[in-house]
Coordinates of all heavy atoms in Angstrom, one line a residue:
M1 N -7.5 -20.9 -33.7 CA -8.1 -20.7 -32.4 C -7.9 -19.2 -32.0 O -6.9 -18.6 -32.2 CB -7.4 -21.6 -31.4 CG -8.3 -21.9 -30.2 SD -7.4 -22.9 -29.0 CE -8.0 -24.5 -29.5
D2 N -8.9 -18.6 -31.4 CA -8.9 -17.2 -31.0 C -8.5 -17.1 -29.5 O -9.1 -17.7 -28.6 CB -10.3 -16.6 -31.1 CG -10.3 -15.2 -30.8 OD1 -9.2 -14.5 -30.8 OD2 -11.4 -14.6 -30.5
Y3 N -7.4 -16.4 -29.3 CA -6.8 -16.3 -27.9 C -7.0 -14.8 -27.4 O -6.4 -14.5 -26.4 CB -5.3 -16.6 -27.9 CG -5.1 -18.1 -28.2 CD1 -4.5 -18.5 -29.4 CD2 -5.4 -19.0 -27.2 CE1 -4.3 -19.8 -29.6 CE2 -5.1 -20.4 -27.4 CZ -4.6 -20.8 -28.6 OH -4.4 -22.1 -28.9
N4 N -7.8 -14.0 -28.0 CA -8.0 -12.7 -27.6 C -8.6 -12.6 -26.2 O -8.3 -11.7 -25.4 CB -8.9 -11.9 -28.5 CG -8.1 -11.6 -29.8 OD1 -6.9 -11.5 -29.8 ND2 -8.9 -11.4 -30.9
H5 N -9.5 -13.5 -25.8 CA -10.1 -13.5 -24.5 C -9.1 -13.7 -23.4 O -9.1 -13.2 -22.3 CB -11.3 -14.5 -24.4 CG -10.9 -15.9 -24.6 ND1 -10.6 -16.4 -25.8 CD2 -10.8 -16.9 -23.7 CE1 -10.3 -17.7 -25.6 NE2 -10.4 -18.0 -24.3
I6 N -8.1 -14.6 -23.7 CA -7.1 -14.9 -22.7 C -6.2 -13.7 -22.6 O -5.8 -13.3 -21.5 CB -6.3 -16.1 -23.1 CG1 -7.1 -17.4 -23.0 CG2 -5.0 -16.3 -22.2 CD1 -6.5 -18.6 -23.6
S7 N -5.9 -13.0 -23.7 CA -5.0 -11.9 -23.7 C -5.6 -10.7 -22.9 O -5.0 -10.1 -22.1 CB -4.7 -11.4 -25.1 OG -4.0 -10.2 -25.1
S8 N -6.9 -10.5 -23.1 CA -7.6 -9.4 -22.3 C -7.7 -9.8 -20.8 O -7.6 -8.9 -20.0 CB -9.0 -9.2 -22.9 OG -9.8 -10.3 -22.7
F9 N -7.9 -11.0 -20.5 CA -7.9 -11.5 -19.1 C -6.6 -11.2 -18.4 O -6.5 -10.7 -17.3 CB -8.3 -12.9 -19.0 CG -8.3 -13.5 -17.6 CD1 -9.2 -13.2 -16.7 CD2 -7.2 -14.4 -17.3 CE1 -9.2 -13.7 -15.4 CE2 -7.2 -14.9 -16.0 CZ -8.2 -14.6 -15.1
L10 N -5.5 -11.6 -19.1 CA -4.2 -11.4 -18.5 C -3.8 -9.9 -18.4 O -3.1 -9.5 -17.5 CB -3.1 -12.2 -19.3 CG -3.2 -13.7 -19.3 CD1 -2.2 -14.3 -20.2 CD2 -3.0 -14.2 -17.8
S11 N -4.3 -9.2 -19.4 CA -4.1 -7.7 -19.3 C -4.7 -7.1 -18.1 O -4.1 -6.2 -17.5 CB -4.6 -7.1 -20.6 OG -4.5 -5.7 -20.6
G12 N -5.9 -7.5 -17.8 CA -6.6 -7.1 -16.6 C -5.9 -7.4 -15.3 O -5.8 -6.6 -14.4
I13 N -5.4 -8.6 -15.2 CA -4.6 -9.0 -14.1 C -3.3 -8.2 -13.9 O -3.0 -7.7 -12.9 CB -4.2 -10.5 -14.2 CG1 -5.5 -11.4 -14.0 CG2 -3.2 -10.9 -13.1 CD1 -5.3 -12.9 -14.2
K14 N -2.6 -8.0 -15.1 CA -1.4 -7.2 -15.1 C -1.7 -5.7 -14.6 O -1.0 -5.2 -13.8 CB -0.8 -7.1 -16.5 CG 0.5 -6.4 -16.6 CD 1.0 -6.4 -18.0 CE 2.2 -5.6 -18.2 NZ 2.7 -5.6 -19.6
K15 N -2.8 -5.2 -15.0 CA -3.2 -3.8 -14.6 C -3.4 -3.8 -13.1 O -3.0 -2.8 -12.4 CB -4.5 -3.4 -15.4 CG -4.7 -1.9 -15.4 CD -5.9 -1.6 -16.2 CE -5.7 -1.9 -17.7 NZ -6.9 -1.4 -18.5
N16 N -4.1 -4.8 -12.5 CA -4.4 -4.8 -11.1 C -3.1 -5.0 -10.3 O -2.9 -4.4 -9.2 CB -5.3 -5.9 -10.7 CG -6.8 -5.6 -11.1 OD1 -7.1 -4.4 -11.2 ND2 -7.6 -6.6 -11.3
L17 N -2.2 -5.8 -10.8 CA -0.9 -6.0 -10.1 C -0.1 -4.7 -10.0 O 0.4 -4.3 -9.0 CB -0.1 -7.1 -10.8 CG -0.5 -8.5 -10.6 CD1 0.3 -9.4 -11.4 CD2 -0.5 -8.9 -9.1
F18 N -0.1 -3.9 -11.1 CA 0.6 -2.7 -11.1 C 0.0 -1.6 -10.2 O 0.6 -0.8 -9.6 CB 0.8 -2.1 -12.5 CG 1.9 -2.8 -13.3 CD1 1.6 -3.4 -14.5 CD2 3.2 -2.8 -12.8 CE1 2.6 -4.1 -15.2 CE2 4.2 -3.5 -13.5 CZ 3.9 -4.1 -14.7
K19 N -1.4 -1.7 -10.2 CA -2.1 -0.7 -9.3 C -1.8 -1.0 -7.9 O -1.6 -0.1 -7.1 CB -3.6 -0.9 -9.6 CG -4.4 0.2 -8.9 CD -5.9 0.1 -9.3 CE -6.7 1.2 -8.7 NZ -8.1 1.1 -9.1
N20 N -1.8 -2.3 -7.5 CA -1.5 -2.7 -6.1 C 0.0 -2.3 -5.8 O 0.2 -1.8 -4.7 CB -1.7 -4.2 -5.9 CG -3.2 -4.5 -5.8 OD1 -4.0 -3.7 -5.6 ND2 -3.5 -5.8 -6.1
R21 N 0.9 -2.5 -6.7 CA 2.3 -2.1 -6.5 C 2.4 -0.6 -6.2 O 3.1 -0.2 -5.3 CB 3.1 -2.5 -7.7 CG 4.5 -2.1 -7.7 CD 5.3 -2.9 -6.8 NE 6.7 -2.5 -6.8 CZ 7.6 -2.9 -6.0 NH1 7.3 -3.8 -5.1 NH2 8.9 -2.5 -6.1
E22 N 1.6 0.2 -6.9 CA 1.6 1.6 -6.7 C 1.1 2.0 -5.3 O 1.6 2.9 -4.6 CB 0.7 2.3 -7.7 CG 1.2 2.3 -9.1 CD 0.3 2.9 -10.1 OE1 -0.8 3.3 -9.8 OE2 0.7 3.0 -11.3
Y23 N 0.1 1.2 -4.8 CA -0.4 1.4 -3.4 C 0.7 1.2 -2.4 O 0.9 2.1 -1.5 CB -1.5 0.5 -3.1 CG -2.9 0.8 -3.7 CD1 -3.7 -0.2 -4.1 CD2 -3.3 2.1 -3.7 CE1 -4.9 0.1 -4.7 CE2 -4.6 2.4 -4.3 CZ -5.4 1.4 -4.7 OH -6.6 1.7 -5.3
Y24 N 1.5 0.2 -2.6 CA 2.6 -0.1 -1.7 C 3.6 1.0 -1.7 O 4.2 1.4 -0.7 CB 3.2 -1.5 -2.0 CG 2.3 -2.6 -1.7 CD1 1.6 -3.4 -2.7 CD2 2.0 -3.0 -0.3 CE1 0.8 -4.4 -2.4 CE2 1.2 -4.1 0.0 CZ 0.6 -4.8 -1.1 OH -0.3 -5.8 -0.8
E25 N 4.0 1.4 -2.9 CA 5.0 2.5 -3.0 C 4.5 3.8 -2.4 O 5.3 4.5 -1.7 CB 5.4 2.7 -4.5 CG 6.1 1.5 -5.0 CD 6.4 1.5 -6.5 OE1 6.0 2.5 -7.1 OE2 7.0 0.6 -7.0
I26 N 3.2 4.1 -2.6 CA 2.7 5.3 -2.0 C 2.7 5.3 -0.5 O 3.0 6.2 0.2 CB 1.3 5.6 -2.6 CG1 1.4 6.0 -4.1 CG2 0.6 6.7 -1.8 CD1 0.1 6.1 -4.8
I27 N 2.2 4.1 0.0 CA 2.2 3.9 1.5 C 3.6 4.1 2.0 O 3.8 4.8 3.0 CB 1.6 2.5 1.8 CG1 0.1 2.5 1.5 CG2 1.8 2.2 3.3 CD1 -0.5 1.1 1.5
A28 N 4.6 3.4 1.4 CA 6.0 3.5 1.9 C 6.5 4.9 1.9 O 7.1 5.4 2.9 CB 6.9 2.6 1.1
S29 N 6.2 5.7 0.8 CA 6.7 7.0 0.8 C 6.0 7.9 1.8 O 6.7 8.8 2.4 CB 6.5 7.6 -0.6 OG 5.2 7.8 -0.9
I30 N 4.7 7.8 2.1 CA 4.1 8.6 3.1 C 4.6 8.3 4.5 O 4.8 9.2 5.3 CB 2.5 8.4 3.0 CG1 2.0 9.1 1.7 CG2 1.8 9.0 4.2 CD1 0.6 8.9 1.4
V31 N 4.7 7.0 4.8 CA 5.2 6.6 6.1 C 6.7 7.1 6.3 O 7.0 7.6 7.3 CB 5.2 5.0 6.3 CG1 5.9 4.6 7.5 CG2 3.7 4.6 6.3
E32 N 7.5 7.0 5.2 CA 8.9 7.5 5.3 C 8.9 9.0 5.6 O 9.7 9.5 6.4 CB 9.6 7.2 4.0 CG 9.9 5.7 3.8 CD 10.5 5.4 2.4 OE1 10.7 6.4 1.6 OE2 10.6 4.2 2.1
R33 N 8.0 9.7 4.9 CA 7.9 11.2 5.1 C 7.6 11.5 6.6 O 8.1 12.5 7.1 CB 6.9 11.8 4.2 CG 6.9 13.3 4.1 CD 6.1 13.9 3.0 NE 5.3 12.9 2.3 CZ 4.0 13.1 2.1 NH1 3.4 14.2 2.5 NH2 3.3 12.2 1.4
H34 N 6.7 10.7 7.2 CA 6.2 11.0 8.5 C 7.3 10.6 9.6 O 7.4 11.3 10.6 CB 4.9 10.4 8.8 CG 3.7 11.1 8.3 ND1 3.1 12.1 9.0 CD2 3.1 11.1 7.1 CE1 2.1 12.6 8.3 NE2 2.1 12.0 7.1
I35 N 7.9 9.4 9.4 CA 8.7 8.9 10.5 C 10.2 9.2 10.2 O 11.0 9.0 11.1 CB 8.5 7.4 10.8 CG1 8.9 6.5 9.6 CG2 7.0 7.2 11.1 CD1 8.9 5.1 9.9
G36 N 10.6 9.5 9.0 CA 12.0 9.8 8.7 C 12.8 8.6 8.5 O 14.1 8.7 8.5
L37 N 12.2 7.4 8.3 CA 13.0 6.2 8.1 C 12.5 5.5 6.9 O 11.3 5.6 6.5 CB 12.8 5.2 9.3 CG 13.3 5.8 10.7 CD1 12.8 4.9 11.8 CD2 14.8 5.9 10.7
V38 N 13.4 4.8 6.2 CA 13.1 4.1 4.9 C 12.3 2.8 5.2 O 12.7 2.0 6.1 CB 14.4 3.8 4.2 CG1 14.1 3.0 2.9 CG2 15.1 5.0 3.8
I39 N 11.2 2.6 4.5 CA 10.4 1.4 4.7 C 10.5 0.6 3.4 O 10.3 1.1 2.3 CB 8.9 1.8 4.9 CG1 8.8 2.7 6.1 CG2 8.0 0.6 5.0 CD1 9.1 2.0 7.4
N40 N 10.8 -0.7 3.5 CA 10.9 -1.6 2.4 C 9.5 -1.9 2.0 O 8.7 -2.4 2.8 CB 11.7 -2.8 2.7 CG 12.0 -3.7 1.6 OD1 11.3 -3.6 0.5 ND2 13.0 -4.6 1.7
V41 N 9.2 -1.8 0.7 CA 7.8 -2.1 0.1 C 7.5 -3.5 0.4 O 6.3 -3.8 0.6 CB 7.8 -1.8 -1.4 CG1 6.5 -2.1 -2.0 CG2 8.1 -0.3 -1.6
K42 N 8.4 -4.4 0.4 CA 8.1 -5.9 0.6 C 7.6 -6.2 2.0 O 7.1 -7.2 2.3 CB 9.4 -6.7 0.3 CG 9.8 -6.6 -1.1 CD 11.1 -7.4 -1.4 CE 11.5 -7.3 -2.8 NZ 12.7 -8.0 -3.1
L43 N 7.8 -5.3 3.0 CA 7.4 -5.5 4.3 C 6.0 -5.0 4.6 O 5.5 -5.1 5.7 CB 8.4 -4.8 5.3 CG 9.8 -5.3 5.2 CD1 10.7 -4.5 6.2 CD2 9.9 -6.8 5.5
I44 N 5.3 -4.4 3.6 CA 4.0 -3.9 3.7 C 3.0 -4.9 3.3 O 3.1 -5.5 2.2 CB 3.8 -2.6 2.9 CG1 4.8 -1.5 3.4 CG2 2.4 -2.1 3.0 CD1 4.9 -0.3 2.5
K45 N 2.0 -5.1 4.1 CA 0.9 -6.0 3.8 C -0.4 -5.3 3.9 O -0.6 -4.5 4.8 CB 0.8 -7.2 4.8 CG 2.1 -8.0 4.9 CD 2.4 -8.8 3.6 CE 3.7 -9.6 3.8 NZ 4.5 -9.7 2.7
I46 N -1.3 -5.5 3.0 CA -2.7 -4.9 3.0 C -3.7 -6.0 3.1 O -3.7 -6.9 2.2 CB -2.9 -4.0 1.8 CG1 -1.9 -2.9 1.7 CG2 -4.3 -3.4 1.8 CD1 -2.0 -2.1 0.4
K47 N -4.5 -5.9 4.1 CA -5.6 -6.8 4.2 C -6.9 -6.0 4.5 O -7.1 -5.5 5.6 CB -5.4 -7.8 5.4 CG -6.4 -8.9 5.4 CD -6.0 -10.0 6.5 CE -7.0 -11.1 6.4 NZ -6.7 -12.1 7.4
G48 N -7.7 -6.0 3.4 CA -8.9 -5.1 3.5 C -8.6 -3.7 3.7 O -7.9 -3.1 2.8
S49 N -8.9 -3.1 4.8 CA -8.6 -1.7 5.0 C -7.6 -1.4 6.0 O -7.4 -0.3 6.6 CB -9.9 -0.9 5.4 OG -10.4 -1.4 6.6
I50 N -6.8 -2.5 6.3 CA -5.8 -2.4 7.4 C -4.4 -2.7 6.7 O -4.2 -3.6 6.0 CB -6.0 -3.5 8.5 CG1 -7.3 -3.2 9.1 CG2 -4.9 -3.4 9.5 CD1 -7.8 -4.1 10.2
I51 N -3.5 -1.8 7.0 CA -2.1 -1.9 6.6 C -1.2 -2.4 7.7 O -1.3 -1.8 8.8 CB -1.6 -0.5 6.1 CG1 -2.5 0.1 5.0 CG2 -0.1 -0.6 5.7 CD1 -2.2 1.6 4.7
T52 N -0.4 -3.4 7.4 CA 0.5 -3.9 8.4 C 1.9 -3.8 7.8 O 2.2 -4.2 6.7 CB 0.2 -5.4 8.7 OG1 -1.1 -5.5 9.2 CG2 1.2 -5.9 9.8
I53 N 2.8 -3.2 8.6 CA 4.2 -3.1 8.2 C 5.0 -3.9 9.2 O 5.0 -3.7 10.4 CB 4.7 -1.6 8.2 CG1 3.8 -0.8 7.3 CG2 6.1 -1.5 7.9 CD1 4.1 0.7 7.3
Q54 N 5.7 -4.9 8.6 CA 6.5 -5.8 9.4 C 7.9 -5.1 9.6 O 8.6 -4.9 8.7 CB 6.7 -7.1 8.7 CG 5.5 -7.9 8.4 CD 5.7 -9.1 7.5 OE1 6.7 -9.2 6.9 NE2 4.7 -10.0 7.5
S55 N 8.1 -4.7 10.9 CA 9.3 -4.0 11.2 C 9.7 -4.1 12.7 O 9.0 -4.8 13.4 CB 9.1 -2.5 10.8 OG 8.1 -1.9 11.6
S56 N 10.7 -3.4 13.0 CA 11.2 -3.4 14.4 C 10.2 -2.7 15.3 O 9.4 -1.8 14.9 CB 12.6 -2.8 14.5 OG 12.5 -1.4 14.3
P57 N 10.2 -3.0 16.6 CA 9.4 -2.2 17.6 C 9.6 -0.7 17.5 O 8.6 0.0 17.7 CB 9.7 -2.8 18.9 CG 10.3 -4.2 18.6 CD 11.0 -4.0 17.3
I58 N 10.8 -0.3 17.3 CA 11.1 1.2 17.2 C 10.3 1.8 16.1 O 9.7 2.9 16.2 CB 12.6 1.4 17.1 CG1 13.3 0.9 18.3 CG2 12.9 2.9 16.8 CD1 14.8 0.9 18.2
I59 N 10.3 1.2 14.9 CA 9.6 1.7 13.7 C 8.1 1.6 14.0 O 7.4 2.6 13.7 CB 10.0 1.0 12.5 CG1 11.5 1.3 12.1 CG2 9.1 1.3 11.3 CD1 12.1 0.5 11.0
K60 N 7.6 0.6 14.6 CA 6.2 0.4 14.9 C 5.8 1.5 15.8 O 4.7 2.1 15.7 CB 5.9 -1.0 15.4 CG 5.9 -2.0 14.4 CD 5.3 -3.3 14.9 CE 5.2 -4.3 13.9 NZ 4.1 -4.2 13.0
N61 N 6.6 1.9 16.8 CA 6.2 3.0 17.7 C 6.2 4.3 17.0 O 5.3 5.1 17.2 CB 7.3 3.1 18.9 CG 7.0 2.0 19.9 OD1 5.9 1.5 20.0 ND2 8.1 1.7 20.7
E62 N 7.1 4.5 16.1 CA 7.1 5.8 15.3 C 5.8 5.9 14.4 O 5.2 6.9 14.3 CB 8.3 5.9 14.4 CG 9.6 6.2 15.2 CD 9.5 7.6 15.8 OE1 9.0 8.6 15.1 OE2 10.0 7.8 16.9
I63 N 5.5 4.7 13.8 CA 4.2 4.7 13.0 C 3.0 5.0 13.9 O 2.1 5.7 13.5 CB 4.1 3.3 12.3 CG1 5.2 3.2 11.3 CG2 2.7 3.2 11.7 CD1 5.3 1.8 10.6
L64 N 3.0 4.4 15.1 CA 1.9 4.6 16.0 C 1.8 6.1 16.4 O 0.7 6.7 16.5 CB 2.1 3.8 17.3 CG 1.0 3.8 18.3 CD1 -0.4 3.3 17.7 CD2 1.3 3.0 19.5
I65 N 2.9 6.8 16.7 CA 2.9 8.2 17.0 C 2.4 9.0 15.9 O 1.6 10.0 16.1 CB 4.4 8.6 17.4 CG1 4.8 8.0 18.7 CG2 4.5 10.1 17.4 CD1 6.3 8.1 19.0
H66 N 2.7 8.7 14.6 CA 2.3 9.5 13.5 C 1.1 8.9 12.7 O 0.8 9.3 11.6 CB 3.5 9.6 12.5 CG 4.6 10.3 13.1 ND1 4.7 11.6 13.2 CD2 5.8 9.8 13.6 CE1 5.9 11.9 13.8 NE2 6.5 10.8 14.0
K67 N 0.4 8.0 13.4 CA -0.7 7.2 12.7 C -1.8 8.1 12.1 O -2.2 7.9 11.0 CB -1.3 6.3 13.8 CG -2.4 5.4 13.3 CD -3.0 4.6 14.5 CE -3.5 3.3 14.1 NZ -3.9 2.5 15.2
E68 N -2.3 9.1 12.8 CA -3.4 9.9 12.3 C -2.9 10.7 11.1 O -3.7 10.8 10.1 CB -3.8 10.9 13.4 CG -4.6 10.2 14.5 CD -5.1 11.2 15.5 OE1 -5.4 12.4 15.2 OE2 -5.3 10.8 16.7
G69 N -1.7 11.2 11.1 CA -1.2 12.0 10.0 C -1.0 11.1 8.8 O -1.3 11.5 7.6
I70 N -0.5 9.9 9.0 CA -0.3 8.9 7.9 C -1.6 8.6 7.2 O -1.8 8.6 6.0 CB 0.5 7.7 8.4 CG1 1.9 8.0 8.8 CG2 0.5 6.6 7.3 CD1 2.6 6.9 9.6
L71 N -2.6 8.2 8.1 CA -3.9 7.8 7.5 C -4.6 9.0 6.8 O -5.2 8.8 5.8 CB -4.8 7.3 8.6 CG -4.4 5.9 9.2 CD1 -5.2 5.5 10.4 CD2 -4.4 4.8 8.2
K72 N -4.4 10.2 7.3 CA -5.0 11.4 6.7 C -4.4 11.6 5.3 O -5.1 11.8 4.3 CB -4.9 12.6 7.5 CG -5.5 13.8 6.9 CD -5.2 15.1 7.7 CE -5.8 16.3 7.1 NZ -5.5 16.5 5.7
D73 N -3.1 11.5 5.2 CA -2.4 11.7 3.9 C -2.8 10.6 2.9 O -2.9 10.9 1.8 CB -0.9 11.7 4.1 CG -0.4 13.0 4.8 OD1 -1.2 13.9 5.0 OD2 0.8 13.1 5.1
L74 N -2.9 9.4 3.4 CA -3.3 8.3 2.5 C -4.7 8.5 2.0 O -5.0 8.3 0.8 CB -3.2 6.9 3.3 CG -1.9 6.4 3.5 CD1 -1.9 5.2 4.4 CD2 -1.2 6.0 2.2
K75 N -5.6 9.0 2.9 CA -7.0 9.3 2.5 C -7.0 10.4 1.4 O -7.8 10.3 0.5 CB -7.8 9.6 3.7 CG -9.3 9.8 3.4 CD -10.1 10.1 4.6 CE -11.6 10.2 4.3 NZ -12.3 10.5 5.5
D76 N -6.2 11.4 1.7 CA -6.2 12.5 0.7 C -5.6 12.2 -0.6 O -6.1 12.6 -1.7 CB -5.4 13.7 1.3 CG -6.0 14.3 2.5 OD1 -7.3 14.1 2.7 OD2 -5.3 15.1 3.3
L77 N -4.6 11.3 -0.6 CA -3.9 10.9 -1.9 C -4.6 9.8 -2.6 O -4.7 9.8 -3.8 CB -2.5 10.5 -1.6 CG -1.6 10.4 -2.7 CD1 -1.5 11.7 -3.5 CD2 -0.2 10.0 -2.3
L78 N -5.1 8.8 -1.9 CA -5.8 7.6 -2.5 C -7.3 7.7 -2.3 O -7.8 7.1 -1.3 CB -5.2 6.3 -1.9 CG -3.7 6.1 -2.0 CD1 -3.3 4.9 -1.2 CD2 -3.3 6.0 -3.5
L79 N -7.9 8.4 -3.1 CA -9.4 8.6 -3.0 C -10.2 7.3 -3.1 O -11.3 7.2 -2.6 CB -9.8 9.6 -4.0 CG -9.2 11.0 -3.9 CD1 -9.6 11.9 -5.0 CD2 -9.4 11.6 -2.5
D80 N -9.7 6.3 -3.9 CA -10.4 5.1 -4.1 C -10.2 4.1 -3.0 O -10.9 3.1 -3.0 CB -10.1 4.5 -5.5 CG -8.6 4.2 -5.6 OD1 -7.8 4.8 -5.0 OD2 -8.3 3.3 -6.4
K81 N -9.3 4.3 -2.1 CA -9.0 3.4 -1.0 C -9.3 4.1 0.3 O -8.9 5.3 0.4 CB -7.6 2.9 -1.0 CG -7.3 1.7 -1.9 CD -8.0 0.5 -1.4 CE -7.1 -0.7 -1.5 NZ -7.8 -1.9 -1.3
N82 N -9.9 3.4 1.3 CA -10.1 4.0 2.6 C -9.4 3.1 3.6 O -10.1 2.2 4.1 CB -11.6 4.2 2.9 CG -11.8 5.0 4.1 OD1 -10.9 5.6 4.6 ND2 -13.0 4.9 4.6
F83 N -8.2 3.4 4.0 CA -7.5 2.6 5.0 C -7.9 3.1 6.4 O -8.0 4.3 6.7 CB -6.0 2.7 4.8 CG -5.5 2.2 3.6 CD1 -5.0 2.9 2.5 CD2 -5.5 0.8 3.4 CE1 -4.6 2.4 1.4 CE2 -5.1 0.2 2.2 CZ -4.6 1.0 1.2
K84 N -8.3 2.2 7.3 CA -8.8 2.5 8.6 C -7.7 2.4 9.7 O -7.9 3.0 10.7 CB -10.0 1.6 8.9 CG -11.1 1.9 8.0 CD -12.4 1.1 8.4 CE -13.4 1.5 7.3 NZ -14.7 1.1 7.6
D85 N -6.7 1.6 9.4 CA -5.7 1.4 10.5 C -4.4 1.1 9.8 O -4.3 0.5 8.7 CB -6.1 0.3 11.4 CG -5.4 0.2 12.7 OD1 -4.7 1.2 13.0 OD2 -5.5 -0.7 13.4
I86 N -3.3 1.4 10.5 CA -1.9 1.0 10.1 C -1.2 0.6 11.4 O -1.3 1.3 12.4 CB -1.2 2.2 9.4 CG1 0.1 1.8 8.9 CG2 -1.2 3.4 10.3 CD1 0.8 2.7 8.0
N87 N -0.5 -0.5 11.3 CA 0.2 -0.9 12.5 C 1.5 -1.7 12.0 O 1.7 -1.9 10.9 CB -0.6 -1.8 13.4 CG -1.3 -3.0 12.7 OD1 -0.7 -3.5 11.7 ND2 -2.4 -3.3 13.2

């Protein structure tokens, strides 16, 4: 039996998972650079073009203050993704 088609399918899924993981790490590092606080990658959710970070109200306020700069840096770095909002 030939299992090459399953192998290539799973390889594609693995590639997408790693690509998404990279998005989360890049988002966390850019937010950290702007607000000066460490963001756990597990607290970041992406739905369409909106990024949500589950955190305390203090961190959310800092993100809101630096929102334009964060989104600009994300746009400059991630050319294939266009995030419209972060909260």
Side-chain angles (χ1 to χ4, degrees):
M1 204 182 265
D2 184 21
Y3 293 107
N4 286 336
H5 64 285
I6 294 173
S7 175
S8 65
F9 175 73
L10 292 176
S11 175
I13 291 175
K14 182 178 177 183
K15 201 179 292 185
N16 283 337
L17 287 175
F18 283 122
K19 188 174 183 180
N20 287 339
R21 176 76 178 170
E22 289 174 359
Y23 284 142
Y24 291 105
E25 291 173 0
I26 291 170
I27 291 167
S29 68
I30 289 175
V31 172
E32 288 172 7
R33 188 169 12 130
H34 279 273
I35 68 172
L37 299 168
V38 177
I39 301 295
N40 188 340
V41 176
K42 294 179 182 177
L43 299 177
I44 299 173
K45 306 290 183 216
I46 300 173
K47 187 172 183 180
S49 63
I50 299 176
I51 303 167
T52 302
I53 301 177
Q54 299 171 344
S55 61
S56 69
I58 294 170
I59 293 175
K60 286 195 175 278
N61 283 338
E62 285 295 318
I63 292 171
L64 183 63
I65 292 168
H66 299 280
K67 183 184 211 175
E68 287 182 30
I70 293 169
L71 291 174
K72 182 185 178 309
D73 286 353
L74 287 171
K75 184 176 182 179
D76 293 344
L77 193 59
L78 302 173
L79 300 175
D80 60 334
K81 277 291 224 191
N82 187 17
F83 295 110
K84 296 184 181 194
D85 197 11
I86 183 168
N87 53 33

